Amino acid sequence: MAGTITPWMGSRWYKTLSAAARALWRPDRSRYILFRSSHAMSSRESFSEGEDEKKNAHVAVAAKEVDTAAELVAGEDFELDPAEADRVRKKIDLHILPLMCVLYWMQFMDKTTLGSAAILGIKEATHLTTNQYNWLGTIFYLSYLLFEYPQNLGLQRFPVGKWMSVNIFIWAIALCSHAACKNFGGLFAVRFVLGMCEGSITAGFMIVSSMFYTRNEQTLRVGYWFLMNGTAQIISGFISFGTLHIKTSGFEPWQWLMVITGALTLFVAVAFWFFFPDSPTNAWFLTKEERAIAVKRIKENQTGVENKHFKIEQFYETLRDPKTWLFALFSALDNVPNSLTNQRQIIVSSFGFTNLQTTLLGCVDGTIEIVTIWTGVHLAARYKDARAYVGVVYFIPNWLGVLLINLLPWSDKVGLLFGQWLTGVGTTGFVLSLSWLSNVTAGHTKRVTVNAIMLIAYCIGNAAGPFMWQAKYTPRNHVPWAVIGICYLICPGLLLIIRYLLARENKRRDAEPPDDTYDDVYIEVITPEGKRVERKVDKEFLDLTDIQNREFRYVL
């Protein structure tokens, strides 16, 4: 049957199939799936074929339309043993979480080396003006923005682990190359390459998290790898402290910082290539039976694993979906204050602390981020439908910190420092939004597209932020801090609006009659004995979007 179009495809009954069934059809020379439609024919029509023939009507559909996990679990009706599922989950944690955490630690440390290098002498050595320094922070995110969608398409088209590994390798070379730069032009070029490569990491991790973990587990795991940003600030502080004491002629401390962090990243790239899995359907550390269990575990997500075929209809659906743009607006506004990443040490130094004190005090920022993200994701996972509420609560300290920095006397450097630290608490809101977005989006092309849009918005916010920090506003910087305060007021409101809209949609779907459009879909597989057999595919593995699948319920 594969690779052919059978004669009955032009018959009257085929023309009466539901639009949903026909939407699955793509002429293709790959393996086919079979769609049985129980309500395909109008009750007013009678066909010359017998009743039995009508009941056995099939539509051939290209197998690339379904999820990659469909063949693995099609027709498998085994009961998932909780103890066995938990054992597989622990095995997955053991093999992928350490690599994800280490990489996220490296990527944050690498992109913030610019801020550390500012204290170590890069501005003087390369003759950077304030505007040029701000541009080095901006070009990273402009490059990130420019390449974000191509990176997401690459993550869909190629093996996820291998695609990220190549990007990490190029990024490591670019980071080491910072040490050879003598002027603004050279630094501009290597920062551009860093931004281009980093576009694959957060998007890739969001895809991987949704492949391997249930909805509740995703909230925790996204928090675990994101809180490595705080770990990076601590370790980066100690590395910067160490490089301050390296005395070599012709090679300054900031250059040592770039080479050391670049070499560590190169090692991570090699480890990722050999050890990071691309999908639970082919993870090297899982047996065939464990792969099936891993896929069955995430059935409750109703998002499947992945689909390597780009579906233009899912792309258009993403653009028409209001929640896409609400999450994007939240991402943009929440990351305007992220310009503090490269300004933080300069600001703390302006409070009157020495370079050595400033470098070590950066470790406190990291500790605060770790504690707040850890507690935030655990609260969100523990309490049902509480993601938006937890995010809102964690924005309150941010706003208090902005008030302290703007209103305290400039002589109160300890109070100003505490205000600065408080502005790091709200990072939890962005972390929750990342996992939440994955939880409420189904259809692989749609997930890839919505991830790209959210991260493009993330880039826009980060790219715009550095230009607030003008020399004319120093030392109090009232204007940039006022802008940050406004962002911290709008973002909690957006979380509550998103929650309201999703809750309303859930109620609407609860009132709808059951939808059996996709209840009878079968895939043709070849058994070990060489026989071709039909196996039913669960709706969860048909690569349907959250709008197509009316049984999908949004987590809140």
Side-chain angles (χ1 to χ4, degrees):
M1 186 174 86
T4 62
I5 300 178
T6 55
W8 43 259
M9 289 179 187
S11 63
R12 279 181 72 201
W13 71 262
Y14 174 68
K15 295 175 183 177
T16 65
L17 283 173
S18 66
R22 293 198 304 273
L24 286 172
W25 163 252
R26 293 288 186 281
D28 186 79
R29 301 192 68 84
S30 62
R31 188 171 297 163
Y32 289 91
I33 67 170
L34 307 170
F35 189 104
R36 282 201 186 102
S37 180
S38 59
H39 56 282
M41 293 173 285
S42 168
S43 60
R44 294 192 299 266
E45 294 192 63
S46 61
F47 303 140
S48 58
E49 293 90 351
E51 200 65 30
D52 290 339
E53 287 183 274
K54 287 190 285 185
K55 287 179 181 177
N56 291 322
H58 295 70
V59 177
V61 186
K64 67 182 180 179
E65 294 296 323
V66 299
D67 194 88
T68 55
E71 187 172 341
L72 184 65
V73 297
E76 299 287 343
D77 198 24
F78 63 87
E79 191 71 29
L80 193 61
D81 178 43
E84 191 67 8
D86 192 53
R87 183 186 66 81
V88 171
R89 192 263 306 159
K90 289 178 180 177
K91 195 171 183 180
I92 291 170
D93 280 344
L94 180 65
H95 286 85
I96 72 171
L97 261 187
L99 283 171
M100 293 174 78
C101 289
V102 168
L103 178 58
Y104 220 73
W105 154 48
M106 289 305 307
Q107 66 88 25
F108 188 83
M109 185 167 68
D110 291 350
K111 71 181 179 183
T112 57
T113 48
L114 183 64
S116 300
I119 301 299
L120 299 176
I122 191 173
K123 294 176 72 174
E124 293 76 17
T126 55
H127 314 292
L128 295 176
T129 64
T130 299
N131 196 47
Q132 286 175 332
Y133 178 79
N134 288 341
W135 261 108
L136 293 180
T138 296
I139 192 56
F140 175 91
Y141 290 105
L142 287 178
S143 174
Y144 194 139
L145 184 155
L146 182 64
F147 286 95
E148 185 53 41
Y149 200 66
Q151 284 282 17
N152 272 269
L153 292 179
L155 287 166
Q156 181 175 22
R157 177 66 180 83
F158 301 107
V160 174
K162 300 299 184 290
W163 182 260
M164 285 195 290
S165 301
V166 171
N167 277 277
I168 301 164
F169 182 83
I170 297 171
W171 158 18
I173 299 301
L175 189 62
C176 289
S177 300
H178 278 63
C181 296
K182 303 297 182 184
N183 52 41
F184 170 71
L187 289 171
F188 188 93
V190 291
R191 296 290 295 178
F192 183 89
V193 175
L194 280 186
M196 174 185 72
C197 294
E198 201 205 326
S200 67
I201 305 306
T202 301
F205 278 14
M206 290 169 71
I207 291 172
V208 169
S209 296
S210 65
M211 282 182 182
F212 283 93
Y213 295 108
T214 64
R215 288 175 167 185
N216 216 37
E217 291 168 354
Q218 285 176 46
T219 301
L220 293 175
R221 270 62 184 184
V222 170
Y224 293 160
W225 52 257
F226 203 96
L227 65 78
M228 297 308 292
N229 288 355
T231 305
Q233 291 183 59
I234 296 171
I235 297 175
S236 179
F238 284 114
I239 292 176
S240 300
F241 175 74
T243 56
L244 269 173
H245 295 80
I246 299 177
K247 306 297 181 183
T248 52
S249 58
F251 213 71
E252 298 186 30
W254 69 268
Q255 292 173 302
W256 277 112
L257 176 66
M258 298 299 183
V259 171
I260 291 169
T261 53
L264 289 171
T265 305
L266 200 59
F267 176 78
V268 173
V270 175
F272 247 74
W273 179 270
F274 288 106
F275 299 113
F276 197 78
D278 299 307
S279 163
T281 61
N282 60 11
W284 61 271
F285 55 85
L286 297 176
T287 65
K288 184 177 179 180
E289 292 73 20
E290 288 172 338
R291 291 172 186 173
I293 292 171
V295 170
K296 280 282 188 178
R297 267 181 18 88
I298 64 166
K299 182 179 176 180
E300 67 179 71
N301 296 350
Q302 300 189 69
T303 57
V305 175
E306 64 175 343
N307 183 292
K308 293 299 184 184
H309 173 59
F310 182 84
K311 298 181 179 179
I312 191 65
E313 66 274 12
Q314 290 194 12
F315 173 80
Y316 289 138
E317 180 182 307
T318 307
L319 300 184
R320 295 191 299 267
D321 194 337
K323 72 175 183 293
T324 298
W325 303 108
L326 287 171
F327 273 109
L329 181 59
F330 172 85
S331 181
L333 294 178
D334 192 48
N335 282 284
V336 169
N338 206 35
S339 57
L340 285 167
T341 300
N342 289 322
Q343 299 290 335
R344 195 176 300 276
Q345 291 190 313
I346 296 174
I347 293 170
V348 172
S349 179
S350 72
F351 292 160
F353 295 98
T354 66
N355 286 353
L356 181 59
Q357 291 172 328
T358 299
T359 300
L360 292 177
L361 285 171
C363 298
V364 179
D365 294 282
T367 303
I368 291 172
E369 188 164 336
I370 291 171
V371 172
T372 54
I373 292 176
W374 177 276
T375 56
V377 296
H378 275 270
L379 286 171
R382 180 174 180 178
Y383 295 102
K384 183 177 172 60
D385 298 337
R387 287 164 176 78
Y389 298 144
V390 172
V392 169
V393 169
Y394 275 74
F395 270 109
I396 296 173
N398 283 44
W399 219 77
L400 178 59
V402 171
L403 290 176
L404 289 175
I405 291 173
N406 276 283
L407 301 178
L408 285 176
W410 191 243
S411 58
D412 188 0
K413 65 178 184 178
V414 174
L416 293 170
L417 183 62
F418 269 89
Q420 171 91 347
W421 284 338
L422 284 173
T423 61
V425 175
T427 306
T428 304
F430 184 67
V431 177
L432 292 174
S433 73
L434 289 178
S435 62
W436 196 11
L437 183 65
S438 294
N439 292 165
V440 298
T441 308
H444 197 70
T445 299
K446 185 173 183 179
R447 289 213 308 268
V448 164
T449 306
V450 80
N451 287 349
I453 291 173
M454 186 171 184
L455 291 172
I456 286 170
Y458 161 87
C459 296
I460 292 171
N462 276 287
F467 289 103
M468 302 186 301
W469 305 94
Q470 300 292 328
K472 61 184 177 182
Y473 298 137
T474 58
R476 292 306 305 246
N477 291 306
H478 285 305
V479 171
W481 281 115
V483 173
I484 288 172
I486 293 170
C487 291
Y488 286 153
L489 277 177
I490 297 175
C491 286
L494 287 172
L495 290 179
L496 294 176
I497 290 171
I498 292 170
R499 189 189 189 282
Y500 168 76
L501 293 177
L502 296 181
R504 188 177 67 176
E505 179 61 21
N506 282 345
K507 289 181 180 178
R508 181 183 294 117
R509 294 188 182 193
D510 289 341
E512 292 177 354
D515 179 16
D516 61 353
T517 305
Y518 303 98
D519 283 353
D520 293 303
V521 181
Y522 293 75
I523 189 170
E524 182 184 86
V525 299
I526 302 174
T527 67
E529 295 77 28
K531 293 178 62 178
R532 293 179 180 271
V533 297
E534 296 175 21
R535 289 182 179 170
K536 186 174 181 178
V537 181
D538 292 330
K539 184 183 294 187
E540 291 83 358
F541 299 109
L542 289 178
D543 193 39
L544 302 176
T545 68
D546 52 281
I547 292 178
Q548 287 176 318
N549 182 3
R550 303 308 292 175
E551 290 183 6
F552 188 97
R553 293 297 182 270
Y554 297 103
V555 296
L556 305 175

